[in-house]
């Protein structure tokens, strides 16, 4: 496949990601959930990884420490998450979702499901299965060596 075709595929993937993010941001705003998209993603991570650390979020999100620190600070101020001390003598603090954080996360995830359903509405079930299979294969491919 020519490089220009590969670039076009990458451009399409980026366009879909941006479209999904924009729809999610709009949905969160219209539903007056009070979360930005990055805050919703961080809550999702904490929900899936109870007891994670801020460093875990930085590593998995690819965002810088300062941005994640700001997001965590906002979530703490809104009482969506709490810091729990780690093992005795360790400096790390683990994050746990509060009841209000869980309720907000549930609302955000329902909106996320709607965005996903709308985004894929024109695909038949078999096409969705094929798309999922191909995307998983791409996501699981080992990084290529620099030229």
């Amino acid at each position: 496949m020519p490089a220009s075709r590969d670039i076009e595929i990458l451009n399409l993937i980026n366009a879909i990601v941006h479209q999904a993010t924009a729809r999610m941001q709009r949905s969160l705003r219209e539903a007056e959930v009070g979360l930005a998209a990055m805050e919703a993603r961080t809550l999702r991570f904490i929900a899936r990884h109870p007891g994670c650390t801020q460093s875990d979020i930085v590593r998995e999100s690819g965002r810088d420490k300062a941005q994640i620190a700001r997001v965590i600070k906002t979530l703490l101020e809104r009482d969506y998450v709490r810091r729990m001390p780690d093992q005795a003598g360790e400096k790390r603090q683990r994050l746990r979702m509060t009841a209000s954080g869980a309720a907000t996360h549930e609302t955000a995830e329902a909106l996320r499901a709607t965005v996903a359903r709308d985004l894929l509405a024109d695909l038949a079930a078999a096409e969705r299965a094929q798309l999922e299979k191909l995307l998983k294969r791409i996501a699981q491919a080992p990084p290529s060596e620099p030229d």
Side-chain angles (χ1 to χ4, degrees):
M1 179 182 303
S4 62
R5 191 96 184 257
D6 292 344
I7 291 170
E8 182 56 27
I9 291 169
L10 179 61
N11 290 342
L12 288 168
I13 291 170
N14 281 330
I16 292 165
V17 168
H18 290 296
Q19 185 179 48
T21 300
R23 286 183 184 188
M24 188 66 197
Q25 287 173 333
R26 187 172 47 254
S27 294
L28 289 166
R29 194 173 42 255
E30 289 172 358
E32 298 179 358
V33 175
L35 286 177
M38 190 62 205
E39 293 164 353
R41 283 192 294 273
T42 303
L43 265 184
R44 183 178 327 108
F45 186 87
I46 295 168
R48 290 181 174 182
H49 304 92
C52 65
T53 65
Q54 194 167 307
S55 295
D56 296 333
I57 298 168
V58 168
R59 184 180 59 252
E60 292 299 317
S61 70
R63 303 296 177 128
D64 66 46
K65 292 192 306 187
Q67 181 182 17
I68 296 303
R70 287 189 299 273
V71 170
I72 296 297
K73 181 181 180 199
T74 299
L75 297 176
L76 287 164
E77 288 170 351
R78 293 180 185 164
D79 195 37
Y80 291 159
V81 297
R82 288 210 178 104
R83 292 189 189 273
M84 309 298 284
D86 202 10
Q87 302 289 345
E90 289 192 18
K91 292 182 182 179
R92 290 186 306 182
Q93 292 189 327
R94 302 207 170 259
L95 299 166
R96 298 219 189 283
M97 198 172 300
T98 64
S100 63
T104 301
H105 168 67
E106 188 175 313
T107 300
E109 286 300 291
L111 293 170
R112 182 176 166 82
T114 299
V115 167
R117 192 172 38 254
D118 291 349
L119 193 64
L120 300 171
D122 291 340
L123 297 180
E127 291 172 317
R128 289 178 189 204
Q130 180 66 18
L131 179 60
E132 180 182 16
K133 180 180 175 183
L134 292 171
L135 291 172
K136 281 182 178 177
R137 201 162 102 206
I138 292 169
Q140 294 171 351
S144 60
E145 294 295 320
D147 292 336

